[in-house]
């Protein structure tokens, strides 16, 4: 189990630290934008009236309804998939930004962006898909590379 965890956390390092820094800047900017611009809007904010109380946190009422409109399994469990999407964008974006559990966060972000592209944005054309496609591509290379030298995963892997 420890060897699997070490492989999951240990990032691929580039030959020059400047390349790792370049990837870290892209990772940080995309993670913060994903959290602030996309993930935060999925949760009920104090200034909105369209929230549904679901326990400790609230999720915006429009989001599970939007997820249910995709049909299939999404219509069966819209609240679950809404929470998974909101979690992967808000929390996964933060984890991506700081290079913590980068590969796990990248996988969740990739799943969410694929759903966004094919279930929500596909009929709206390429321009509507571009934000989700951009986050998908960043998550794809972070799934392979991990956090690089400039992330918490690197520090944790050195301790393991």
């Amino acid at each position: 189990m420890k060897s699997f965890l070490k492989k999951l956390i240990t990032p691929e390092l580039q030959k020059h630290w400047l390349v790792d820094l370049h990837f870290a800047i892209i990772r940080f900017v995309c993670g913060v934008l994903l959290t602030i611009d996309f993930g935060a809007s999925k949760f009920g904010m104090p200034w909105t009236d369209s929230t549904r109380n679901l326990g400790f946190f609230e999720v915006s009422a429009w989001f599970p309804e939007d997820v249910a409109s995709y049909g299939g399994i999404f219509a069966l469990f819209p609240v679950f998939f809404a929470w998974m999407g909101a979690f992967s964008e808000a929390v996964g974006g933060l984890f991506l930004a700081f290079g913590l559990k980068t590969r796990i966060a990248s996988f969740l972000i990739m799943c969410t962006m694929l759903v966004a592209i094919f279930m929500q944005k596909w009929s709206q054309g390429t321009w509507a898909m571009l934000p989700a496609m951009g986050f998908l591509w960043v998550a794809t290379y972070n799934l392979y590379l991990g956090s690089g030298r400039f992330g918490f995963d690197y520090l944790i892997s050195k301790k393991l």
Side-chain angles (χ1 to χ4, degrees):
M1 181 67 174
K2 189 174 181 180
S3 65
F4 173 73
L5 184 63
K6 187 169 172 89
K7 287 179 185 178
L8 189 64
I9 291 175
T10 304
E12 297 289 327
L13 301 181
Q14 305 304 308
K15 288 183 180 180
H16 302 287
W17 66 268
L18 197 57
V19 178
D20 276 328
L21 180 63
H22 178 77
F23 286 145
I25 292 169
I26 294 169
R27 189 189 73 236
F28 183 80
V29 169
C30 284
V32 168
L33 288 175
L34 184 61
T35 298
I36 293 172
D37 285 346
F38 295 90
S41 68
K42 307 294 191 296
F43 293 101
M45 296 294 148
W47 57 83
T48 64
D49 293 330
S50 63
T51 57
R52 180 183 306 152
N53 190 351
L54 295 174
F56 186 73
F57 293 102
E58 294 178 349
V59 66
S60 294
W62 65 267
F63 192 48
E65 293 167 5
D66 190 36
V67 170
S69 71
Y70 302 160
I73 193 169
F74 297 105
L76 296 175
F77 307 104
V79 173
F80 171 75
F81 285 111
W83 272 104
M84 289 302 295
F87 177 84
S88 70
E89 289 179 359
V91 178
L94 284 176
F95 277 33
L96 185 68
F98 294 111
L100 180 63
K101 310 289 187 217
T102 308
R103 289 188 171 109
I104 296 169
S106 294
F107 177 75
L108 292 174
I109 291 167
M110 285 175 61
C111 292
T112 302
M113 293 305 121
L114 286 169
V115 169
I117 290 167
F118 291 109
M119 303 302 287
Q120 185 183 37
K121 301 294 184 182
W122 189 263
S123 63
Q124 298 173 15
T126 306
W127 282 108
M129 289 188 281
L130 283 178
M133 290 171 114
F135 291 124
L136 175 67
W137 301 136
V138 170
T140 300
Y141 77 75
N142 279 291
L143 181 68
Y144 176 74
L145 294 175
S147 69
R149 286 182 178 91
F150 300 102
F152 285 115
D153 284 349
Y154 178 69
L155 299 174
I156 293 169
S157 68
K158 288 181 79 170
K159 295 288 182 190
L160 291 177

